[in-house]
Amino acid sequence: MPDKPAAPPQRAFNARVESPWNEMVAHQDSGFFESRKYRKRVERLVESVSKALEAAGLDVPFWPDDAGPARPKAHILLDKTGVFHDLKAYAAQLEGTDPQSVMVGKSVQTNFPNLLRHREKGSYYWPVDFAEPMWVTLDGGESVPVGSSQGLLRELEKINEVLKVEKTFRMQKMADFMDAGERDIAKVETYMDVSGKFWLKFGFLVARKLVEKSIETNLPVVFG
């Protein structure tokens, strides 16, 4: 039997590329009612997204719910909230909108829906190509956004035509695994921040790493 993954440190930003069923497995020892709640939550999530994709004529990924826990293919933990805040502001500035208006106003046109109509807490990116994030209502009335990994990657590539991260930032690529506390982040920021736009470019690399790994492994991005 596979070993149960060790509980990760508590960080403000927690993003993993893994089977959605890992979330259920992580709570299987929390008591009958609690573990049942998480199973129902994941079942509802997978079922709702699968039905929406099928109705749109899109491929429906399949992840077995009895495969046992597996180590994430990528896991980024940071003591930082709003990791994508500057990236979203930059994208909105490129098109003359603002992130808040795009997030709450479906009538507001945007070239970056998978970035701007999404959040980095309690949300997902599915490795399927669709235009707009879908909001899934789970038991208890909770609504969570599910974006497209392929769609976000295209949006990031469009942003990078102007941002040019590879030419203007010392860090060229994001690691698959990172666990950075406040002191670690301060050291990296001091070294990397040659343009005054550290979190814009660092956030870009984080987002790109996650969706690239999602597409490569055919697994969703899961934001804790």
Side-chain angles (χ1 to χ4, degrees):
M1 180 180 293
D3 294 333
K4 183 180 178 181
Q10 295 298 311
R11 303 290 191 202
F13 179 90
N14 183 350
R16 310 175 302 279
V17 177
E18 64 180 1
S19 166
W21 298 105
N22 270 24
E23 184 176 5
M24 176 193 72
V25 172
H27 293 86
Q28 65 184 3
D29 296 332
S30 57
F32 175 79
F33 292 105
E34 190 71 8
S35 61
R36 185 174 183 273
K37 181 184 76 172
Y38 276 94
R39 169 174 275 281
K40 291 295 183 183
R41 182 186 188 279
V42 179
E43 286 176 347
R44 179 67 180 272
L45 171 73
V46 173
E47 180 184 13
S48 298
V49 176
S50 296
K51 284 183 176 179
L53 294 174
E54 187 175 7
L58 299 171
D59 292 336
V60 178
F62 172 73
W63 303 294
D65 63 352
D66 58 355
R71 186 170 184 256
K73 302 300 182 182
H75 194 177
I76 298 177
L77 289 150
L78 302 169
D79 267 345
K80 164 75 174 176
T81 58
V83 171
F84 300 146
H85 178 272
D86 289 1
L87 176 61
K88 289 184 175 184
Y90 185 81
Q93 183 181 8
L94 289 178
E95 62 180 6
T97 60
D98 71 86
Q100 183 63 21
S101 297
V102 175
M103 182 68 169
V104 302
K106 296 298 183 183
S107 61
V108 178
Q109 297 297 312
T110 179
N111 294 309
F112 311 106
N114 285 286
L115 175 63
L116 298 183
R117 291 192 172 123
H118 204 270
R119 68 188 188 209
E120 58 187 62
K121 191 79 173 176
S123 57
Y124 304 82
Y125 283 102
W126 236 245
V128 182
D129 197 348
F130 50 91
E132 286 270 350
M134 60 183 79
W135 285 74
V136 178
T137 301
L138 304 179
D139 293 334
E142 177 193 7
S143 293
V144 301
V146 180
S148 164
S149 297
Q150 286 88 334
L152 180 57
L153 183 59
R154 271 197 310 274
E155 293 169 19
L156 293 173
E157 289 170 345
K158 189 178 299 183
I159 292 169
N160 204 31
E161 290 175 3
V162 182
L163 190 58
K164 302 184 187 301
V165 166
E166 289 79 9
K167 294 183 178 180
T168 60
F169 203 52
R170 285 176 174 166
M171 181 182 289
Q172 299 295 298
K173 292 184 178 181
M174 180 63 55
D176 288 354
F177 296 88
M178 177 177 289
D179 181 359
E182 292 182 4
R183 290 185 179 181
D184 302 316
I185 291 173
K187 290 178 182 178
V188 174
E189 186 172 359
T190 300
Y191 175 71
M192 295 291 175
D193 192 10
V194 296
S195 65
K197 297 180 178 179
F198 172 80
W199 281 108
L200 164 60
K201 296 176 182 181
F202 188 81
F204 174 92
L205 290 176
V206 170
R208 187 171 67 179
K209 165 56 67 175
L210 291 170
V211 293
E212 283 182 341
K213 203 68 179 180
S214 170
I215 295 167
E216 174 191 331
T217 60
N218 196 37
L219 291 169
V221 181
V222 180
F223 291 91

